Amino acid sequence: MPSRNRDLRPLAARETLRAVTRRHFFRDCGVGLGKIALASMLAGGARAIGSDVPAFDVTNPLSPRPPHFAPKAKRVIYLFMAGAPSQLDLFDPKPTLAEYDGQPVPAEVVKDQRYAFIRPDASLMAPRFRFSRHGESGAELSEMLPHLAKVVDDIAIVRSVHTDQFNHAPAQIFMNSGSPLPGRPCMGSWVTYGIGSEAEDLPGFVVLSSGSGISGGAANWSSGFLPTSYEGVVFRSQGDAILNVSSPPGFDDQLQRDSLDLIRTLNDRQLGRVGDPEIASRIASYEMAYRMQSSAPELMDLSGESQDTLDLYGVTPGKASFANNCLLARRMIERGVRFVNLYHEGWDHHSDVEGGLRSQCGQTDQASAALVLDLKRRGLLEDTLIVWGGEFGRTPMVESNATLGRSLGRDHHPQAFTMWFAGGGVKPGLTLGATDDLGFHVVDRPVHVHDVQATILHLLGLDHERLTFRTQGRDFRLTDVHGHVVEELLA
């Protein structure tokens, strides 16, 4: 008697069935897996910005689209201070911390706390710099921020930000994408996915970097599962803005145009046949690269800027720097770029926090303040949101380790840190939130990273709960299932 599991069909029939894989089925079933994916993307896009909003233009994924409601900001410049600046030495003065300098932290304060490199019972360390009040708002700032002090009435300081992560790479990715794991779309990608871009000859989302590199790497500006049209495009701040965009010798403009036209014809044919949305992204990328061959060199040429402007930022033309990137960011938003991320690494001061802050503030304070002043005098600050901050804060306790050659530093501190915001519908002159007497825990108006993300989207006219993309069987969003708009920040 034959086995119940034995296949009794003829050998030829069995071989035919083996050849028809799931991939072949979806390809040949008359709909096509790519078309299913494209339909899903378009349906998800319509849901993302409301059923009353037109679906995305597949031929131009970055075309401007209406937000959910009237926005206060049209664009964002995010000054990301990678490595985590010490809030206790820059923004959050603690006389009590100075009073108990060198004494062990009370056990009840550090109960169940984890740190990257130090014991929770390490000695307290006083702030390294003097603080004073500035402007009509009377906001307190460190002596290391003399330029920011001049615009303090134009910014909002939040002293009560906290995060879930205490190591650099996951904390940076978490701040930018809402998840500590690589693979999720970052904030700039969500924004350009939601409302597109007004730039015709530049990407909608641009990344500039200064310092010594970013722990989280490209995951900080990845489009994740969104179409790659929404990925951050990294620009260099000197030389060719993007490598390999310029045509090689002997390849003139007409030959370039003819080649792209042929490639587009072939890609259009493939897009119509299989419906893969990544083909639409590829077409758009080729065309953007062609336009950037003329727009990028013009963007990078600072010769048209006045000497007064160069001096305001502290820019030396031809020299890569954070100041140079701040000026480039202003030039980008003038040309319609929606989201500009400036990463400046160098704030990870496990040793000599005083010397480290002198160096980093010397590189960034003038240009950060100049960006606020320059946008304001050009009438751009009111609808441009500037965000400044790192991935977490630094401990009130000292880090000293003779083996590693460390002394008078501060460890990672996710429980509390400071960010500041300007323009784009933010209430100026505000200082929000507070920490305890040692600067250890938030005691007034805690603001989680997801709250920061929700608020940035809100200022752009986007509801963080409605801006979604369906993949892997569920709707994803930047804030996951968390986040609340920080109403006190809104003007």
Side-chain angles (χ1 to χ4, degrees), residues 72-79 154-156 187 191 329 333 337-342 371-372 375 380-388 419-427 452-461 489-491:
K72 298 290 185 67
K74 294 181 179 179
R75 59 197 79 87
V76 177
I77 299 175
Y78 194 153
L79 309 178
D154 294 310
I155 70 173
M187 203 180 317
V191 168
I333 64 150
V337 176
R338 185 74 74 184
F339 203 102
V340 186
N341 252 135
L342 272 66
L371 188 59
V372 176
L375 293 182
L380 291 168
L381 185 62
E382 62 184 24
D383 57 7
T384 301
L385 175 63
I386 302 176
V387 181
W388 187 102
M419 299 180 68
W420 62 259
F421 306 80
V426 168
K427 186 180 295 183
V452 172
Q453 295 161 346
T455 304
I456 292 172
L457 293 182
H458 178 86
L459 290 167
L460 290 163
L489 265 179
L490 309 181

Side-chain angles (χ1 to χ4, degrees), residues 239-268:
D240 286 344
I242 300 177
L243 293 175
N244 303 316
V245 167
S246 301
S247 297
F251 207 78
D252 62 23
D253 188 67
Q254 186 58 52
L255 183 57
Q256 173 83 329
R257 186 66 262 173
D258 291 344
S259 299
L260 288 175
D261 288 343
L262 174 60
I263 293 170
R264 178 172 188 135
T265 298
L266 297 173
N267 279 329
D268 278 335

